[in-house]
Amino acid sequence: MKLTKLLLATAFAATSLAPLAHSADLRMSWWGGDSRHKATQAALKACGEKHGHTIAPEYTGWDGHLEKVTTQIAGGTEADIMQINWPWLPLFSIKGDGFADLSQFKDVIDLSQWTKEELAAGSMNGKLNGLPVSTTGRVFMFNKTALDKAGVAIPKTWDELFAAAKTLKEKVGPGAYPMNAVKETAVLLISLNATQATGKDLVDQKTGKVAWTEEELTSAIDFYGKMVSEGVVISQKDNAAEGNLNLFESPKWVDGRISGSYEWDSTYSKYADPLKGQVLEPVALLKNADAKTEGVYRKPSMVFSISKRSKNPKAAAEIVNCLLNEPEGIKALGTSRGLPASKVAAKTLLDAGVIEPELAAANAIILAGTGPTVSPLNEHPEVRAVFIDTLEQYAYGQMTSAEAAEEIIDGVNDVLKKF
């Protein structure tokens, strides 16, 4: 009897201690607003309970988060799981050794839920440094209601866009434009034109230099200049005179005098809501027959990374997989970070009716588009500043397109030298 009791006690002790032997105390950091904070905490609780781990949340707003993560990584105190902005990957891991290589946990994380291109976008120097949480990109959106009223079909090519500008000015007035292009949007339209003409992204990832020649970039800037001179887009000077309003706040956008733009698919609602019943339709990328590629600008909006210093990287990988691929995490996170990149997550939310059809349609255009892999260095703050500042000088007639191209290429290459 005593032996039986001893065996039972031993068995009970082993059983009760088994989960603790595999449990881990983890931390996860992210930025966002209240809705994202609540959704993420609920997801961490559900995934922690499922896998037997405890995850302490560390969250902030956007402002100051980069500085916080930079300080933590420099001091070796970063969280086990981190939400990392895609352009930060080269800042922290230019050689691919700044974060754990998630391909080492393919027995835990179902990597088949992402395309090869998506995994490549989260990789640095061949190491999978982050899993795309959502994939976003620039897509054309047109106010179909306004264009229909003017008897103009939604453009499918650049030539049709220029023709639409002429018709709108005849039927609506000189202040009508079929496209918006100032600041960052102007930069990305020029980049789109250059990519379509050359088949190359701004950054040649083999040489670490600008991939376009001065002649190629000059041609793309000239294309933007033609858009301004032929009334396809409002000039930066006129836009400044009107107060440099955000497009979604502009009366011209609200009443349809500006009837199109090139925006992130994830911001569809921000531009559709002010139209109050008018139909904003996302469409495939405009291009002409001689384009070498559609030139889709597709990128992870953010990635989930695991610290290379984590004491429990496999446990962290279990939680990451739960957040992105398992029903407990998927349902709790919802669309708090946009339309999920994981196939199973996107299908789960679409089937549940959580995602609005227009957002899904815009994202489908991005995912179906063709183009070279976009380097995160495109969005390095100094790279973007070189583009915007130089184009402003060009827009005000302070330099020619050739001079602007030379200035941009030299300035961007100076930034790229650091990497």
Side-chain angles (χ1 to χ4, degrees), residues 377-408:
L377 289 168
N378 278 271
E379 296 187 17
H380 188 284
E382 292 179 45
V383 170
R384 189 55 53 81
V386 167
F387 255 102
I388 290 177
D389 292 346
T390 306
L391 285 179
E392 186 171 347
Q393 294 180 65
Y394 166 74
Y396 279 83
Q398 296 171 357
M399 61 173 60
T400 66
S401 57
E403 290 170 338
E406 180 181 7
E407 183 87 7
I408 290 169

Side-chain angles (χ1 to χ4, degrees), residues 209-226:
K209 297 181 179 180
V210 174
W212 306 325
T213 65
E214 287 185 15
E215 291 77 14
E216 290 166 343
L217 182 52
T218 298
S219 177
I221 295 173
D222 283 337
F223 176 78
Y224 167 69
K226 182 182 176 184

Side-chain angles (χ1 to χ4, degrees), residues 289-346:
D290 58 351
K292 294 185 178 179
T293 174
E294 282 184 293
V296 65
Y297 193 98
R298 180 173 52 224
K299 64 163 191 170
S301 56
M302 63 190 70
V303 299
F304 281 172
S305 299
I306 293 177
S307 168
K308 65 179 182 180
R309 301 182 183 91
S310 175
K311 296 178 180 178
N312 298 286
K314 189 168 184 178
E318 288 178 344
I319 297 302
V320 168
N321 187 66
C322 180
L323 292 173
L324 301 180
N325 291 330
E326 296 176 3
E328 295 84 357
I330 293 168
K331 292 175 182 177
L333 288 183
T335 58
S336 60
R337 288 173 173 81
L339 185 62
S342 160
K343 298 185 189 75
V344 65

Side-chain angles (χ1 to χ4, degrees), residues 250-295:
S250 169
K252 286 188 173 182
W253 176 254
V254 173
D255 65 20
R257 281 175 291 165
I258 295 178
S259 50
S261 195
Y262 180 56
E263 304 292 344
W264 300 114
D265 64 325
S266 56
T267 63
Y268 173 85
S269 295
K270 182 165 69 174
Y271 293 94
D273 290 348
L275 299 183
K276 298 177 181 177
Q278 300 176 82
V279 177
L280 185 64
E281 187 168 317
V283 301
L285 295 177
L286 305 187
K287 65 183 180 70
N288 285 338
D290 58 351
K292 294 185 178 179
T293 174
E294 282 184 293

Side-chain angles (χ1 to χ4, degrees), residues 76-377:
T77 61
E78 71 271 21
D80 299 272
I81 304 167
M82 291 170 280
Q83 175 181 294
I84 295 295
N85 196 24
W86 179 65
W88 298 350
L89 287 178
L91 302 182
F92 295 126
S93 188
I94 190 63
K95 296 180 180 179
D97 57 0
F99 300 103
D101 182 358
L102 300 185
S103 65
Q104 301 300 311
F105 304 102
K106 59 185 177 182
D107 58 328
V108 176
I109 303 174
D110 182 6
L111 299 180
S112 69
Q113 298 301 329
W114 290 267
T115 65
K116 290 181 179 179
E117 291 78 12
E118 287 170 331
L119 294 178
S123 299
M124 295 298 297
N125 196 30
K127 305 290 181 60
L128 183 56
N129 279 185
L131 282 172
V133 180
S134 56
T135 298
T136 189
R138 286 270 170 159
V139 64
F140 285 98
M141 304 176 187
F142 286 100
N143 184 334
K144 187 176 185 301
T145 304
L147 292 178
D148 284 349
K149 186 177 180 180
V152 176
I154 290 179
K156 296 181 179 178
T157 67
W158 293 115
D159 291 340
E160 290 179 7
L161 180 68
F162 279 85
K166 293 180 181 178
T167 304
L168 284 173
K169 287 190 168 25
E170 292 170 0
K171 296 190 175 183
V172 180
Y177 302 89
M179 183 56 52
N180 169 66
V182 292
K183 301 294 183 180
E184 183 187 47
T185 305
V187 170
L188 290 175
L189 279 171
I190 289 171
S191 297
L192 174 61
N193 183 268
T195 299
Q196 288 183 344
T198 66
K200 298 179 289 188
D201 178 45
L202 166 67
V203 180
D204 184 329
Q205 299 195 45
K206 292 183 179 178
T207 65
K209 297 181 179 180
V210 174
W212 306 325
T213 65
E214 287 185 15
E215 291 77 14
E216 290 166 343
L217 182 52
T218 298
S219 177
I221 295 173
D222 283 337
F223 176 78
Y224 167 69
K226 182 182 176 184
M227 293 178 80
V228 174
S229 64
E230 297 195 14
V232 174
V233 301
I234 190 171
S235 70
Q236 290 206 35
K237 186 183 296 185
D238 288 344
N239 188 67
E242 294 179 4
N244 280 325
L245 297 173
N246 291 315
L247 179 63
F248 54 86
E249 297 173 324
S250 169
K252 286 188 173 182
W253 176 254
V254 173
D255 65 20
R257 281 175 291 165
I258 295 178
S259 50
S261 195
Y262 180 56
E263 304 292 344
W264 300 114
D265 64 325
S266 56
T267 63
Y268 173 85
S269 295
K270 182 165 69 174
Y271 293 94
D273 290 348
L275 299 183
K276 298 177 181 177
Q278 300 176 82
V279 177
L280 185 64
E281 187 168 317
V283 301
L285 295 177
L286 305 187
K287 65 183 180 70
N288 285 338
D290 58 351
K292 294 185 178 179
T293 174
E294 282 184 293
V296 65
Y297 193 98
R298 180 173 52 224
K299 64 163 191 170
S301 56
M302 63 190 70
V303 299
F304 281 172
S305 299
I306 293 177
S307 168
K308 65 179 182 180
R309 301 182 183 91
S310 175
K311 296 178 180 178
N312 298 286
K314 189 168 184 178
E318 288 178 344
I319 297 302
V320 168
N321 187 66
C322 180
L323 292 173
L324 301 180
N325 291 330
E326 296 176 3
E328 295 84 357
I330 293 168
K331 292 175 182 177
L333 288 183
T335 58
S336 60
R337 288 173 173 81
L339 185 62
S342 160
K343 298 185 189 75
V344 65
K347 184 178 187 306
T348 298
L349 297 183
L350 281 168
D351 290 347
V354 175
I355 300 170
E356 56 189 316
E358 295 84 0
L359 175 57
N363 190 256
I365 290 169
I366 297 302
L367 296 180
T370 61
T373 299
V374 177
S375 167
L377 289 168

